[in-house]
Amino acid sequence: MTWTTEGSIAALLRWRLDEKPERGFAYVEDEGPWTYQSIGAEAVRVARGLRAQAVGAGDLVIVRLGNDERFLAAVGGVWMGGAGAIVMHPAAPSRDVTSVATSMGAKAIIADPEDLPARSVGLPCIAIARFPASGAVDAAQLAQTYSVPAVPGSSPALVLLTSGTTGQPKGVVLTHDNAWANLRATVAAFRSDTSPTPISDIARPPNLISNPLSHTAGVVRLLFALYVGRTIALLRKFDATMAKSLIDRHGIDNLTINPAMMRMLLENLPDNADLGKVRYVSSGTAPLPPALREEFEKRFGVPVLQAYGQTEAFGGIAIESVKDVLSGRRKPGSVGRPLPGVELRIVGPDGEEVAGGEVGEIVVRARSATSGYIGGDAVQPVDDEGWLRTGDQGRVDEDGYLFITGRIKNIIICGGFNIVPEEVEAALAEDRSVREVTVVGVPDDRLGEVPVAIAESDCSAADLIEKIGDRLAPYKRPRRVFVVDALPRVANGKVDRPAAAALARELCSSN
């Protein structure tokens, strides 16, 4: 079989259809497995629906689906037509659907038949219902109809959503070339041969996917499984009991989860529960508190690898070595060395590289890095020489290990999800009773930090929380709202954010 890691990543599913079409690929919690050919057949149906709506090469299509077998079928259908997929969580509010459709020029939307917000934006809507895990599929016909289009590697494959400083969603554009580069770099962290892996005749445990497929960590894990010939087990939403059930049922040998999920496993599993055959855990998408890592490793007897990445870099930038951690060699506080193919520098405010060991902004250059933003306040993150400014601070020691020391960006990371305070503030300020409001991150043992709002308003805190319910996705909503007579301000009249953050911590601890 010929493996060509160029052009469209639609080839990932095509390889498996050519190789073992009847092999099970995806479990959805206790259901499945869905076979490659059942997913491929549904992808062909989606592609036909998009062609009927005149969606073609270079167009963008919103894929608004959760963690089940439909996601791969939907993006596969989009890629088969040469288009790119804007992936969106199905719980995102109607206003986000409208904003994305308008600002990013989407030509169609793929969603559940009962998804009313998807049908409210005036785009052609391709409905995709749950479909059988296996069934009567003509393998020969499927081989003829599931085609890999000839598209430039520079064409958009995925657009992952993040929020701009004005609160409007913007899209991180990731090309087919970005995807191939990411997959090769990820494999290189585990072995020297970075070529795709044939499906083994020996049964191997699936990779558990705990993060939303509309999130970088989820979709990268899906593509990685296709690349290395592994099956997957999908959690619709992270639940410690269900995760434990899948670990035991399938003999899952590694986990990629975030600190909030680690906390849920600690708190929600019985004291005598173990993690079965899990050999190591990779933690990413949010900072990992040292105390949490120590507690987790002591409780379950499984080492935790720290990783560092960004959506703009298509996931991974640096990760601890599995071999080093399993053998007890690690640098406390480090997120490891940069992945192969990732250049990394530490620069000062003037953009010049700082001396070794000094703290500065982390900038990276890699073939997997985004080609830019679309929609929202799309100020481009990559300079003319290909360097991506991460907005994070860190240092590199004499052995090349990266240490993250803080964030420059004003982003709140809650349970692995990025929340831009300005977006939450704008939603609260829609209420005329709100004179001014600021939203800050307050430390939280379970989620890392949570958004808390302090408002000058004539409305009660309870009423403000109720009113914001339909304006924001659930994870973006403030966990607490405090109404005050006056916000702290600096001399020029602007809100003093550090003072507001201190006030929020004080109010949370005393109320």
Side-chain angles (χ1 to χ4, degrees), residues 107 184 220 223 240 321 354 362 374 411 442 455 459 467 505:
K107 299 297 184 182
R184 288 190 292 267
V220 165
L223 298 178
S321 161
V354 302
I362 301 166
I374 57 171
I411 288 175
V442 172
C459 200
K467 290 177 181 180
R505 290 193 295 270

Side-chain angles (χ1 to χ4, degrees), residues 7-15 75-76 79-80 146-149 176 180:
S8 174
I9 57 173
L12 286 167
L13 181 54
R14 179 61 199 239
W15 293 342
V75 295
W79 295 330
M80 204 184 307
Y146 186 96
S147 58
V148 178
H176 296 275
W180 292 123

Side-chain angles (χ1 to χ4, degrees), residues 227-309:
Y227 191 82
V228 299
R230 292 287 284 263
T231 55
I232 60 171
L234 289 164
L235 284 171
R236 292 188 179 92
K237 182 179 181 181
F238 190 83
D239 176 88
T241 302
M242 178 56 72
K244 168 65 173 168
S245 174
L246 294 177
I247 289 168
D248 292 342
R249 175 185 173 188
H250 298 292
I252 289 171
D253 57 10
N254 71 90
L255 298 178
T256 297
I257 54 179
N258 63 38
M261 296 170 185
M262 293 171 61
R263 176 61 62 188
M264 292 170 72
L265 289 170
L266 285 167
E267 294 178 350
N268 298 332
L269 293 184
D271 291 341
N272 62 349
D274 60 26
L275 293 182
K277 295 184 178 180
V278 172
R279 297 173 57 243
Y280 63 89
V281 171
S282 296
S283 174
T285 76
L288 174 62
L292 174 58
R293 178 177 181 169
E294 181 178 351
E295 182 183 0
F296 191 93
E297 291 183 337
K298 182 178 180 180
R299 162 78 180 277
F300 294 114
V302 176
V304 179
L305 283 65
Q306 291 201 76
Y308 168 65

Side-chain angles (χ1 to χ4, degrees), residues 230-426:
R230 292 287 284 263
T231 55
I232 60 171
L234 289 164
L235 284 171
R236 292 188 179 92
K237 182 179 181 181
F238 190 83
D239 176 88
T241 302
M242 178 56 72
K244 168 65 173 168
S245 174
L246 294 177
I247 289 168
D248 292 342
R249 175 185 173 188
H250 298 292
I252 289 171
D253 57 10
N254 71 90
L255 298 178
T256 297
I257 54 179
N258 63 38
M261 296 170 185
M262 293 171 61
R263 176 61 62 188
M264 292 170 72
L265 289 170
L266 285 167
E267 294 178 350
N268 298 332
L269 293 184
D271 291 341
N272 62 349
D274 60 26
L275 293 182
K277 295 184 178 180
V278 172
R279 297 173 57 243
Y280 63 89
V281 171
S282 296
S283 174
T285 76
L288 174 62
L292 174 58
R293 178 177 181 169
E294 181 178 351
E295 182 183 0
F296 191 93
E297 291 183 337
K298 182 178 180 180
R299 162 78 180 277
F300 294 114
V302 176
V304 179
L305 283 65
Q306 291 201 76
Y308 168 65
Q310 283 197 334
T311 298
E312 288 84 351
F314 209 163
I317 292 174
I319 189 171
E320 289 188 287
S321 161
V322 176
K323 292 181 180 179
D324 283 353
V325 172
L326 290 178
S327 64
R329 299 191 304 271
R330 61 165 37 146
K331 295 243 183 175
S334 170
V335 295
R337 291 188 175 105
L339 288 166
V342 175
E343 297 178 72
L344 186 147
R345 300 187 330 181
I346 307 296
V347 302
D350 58 0
E352 294 298 319
E353 194 163 357
V354 302
E358 290 189 7
V359 172
E361 183 178 4
I362 301 166
V363 297
V364 299
R365 183 164 61 184
R367 291 190 62 190
S368 60
T370 179
S371 61
Y373 293 134
I374 57 171
D377 55 346
V379 176
Q380 299 310 311
V382 180
D383 67 19
D384 292 340
E385 296 181 351
W387 290 99
L388 167 68
R389 301 197 68 138
T390 67
D392 293 322
Q393 284 188 319
R395 62 181 177 85
V396 175
D397 72 6
E398 65 279 5
D399 297 318
Y401 286 84
L402 175 65
F403 295 77
I404 310 299
T405 59
R407 292 195 305 277
I408 298 172
K409 294 179 179 178
N410 197 30
I411 288 175
I412 299 166
I413 301 180
C414 178
F417 289 88
N418 288 356
I419 301 170
V420 175
E422 288 83 356
E423 179 183 7
V424 185
E425 291 163 2

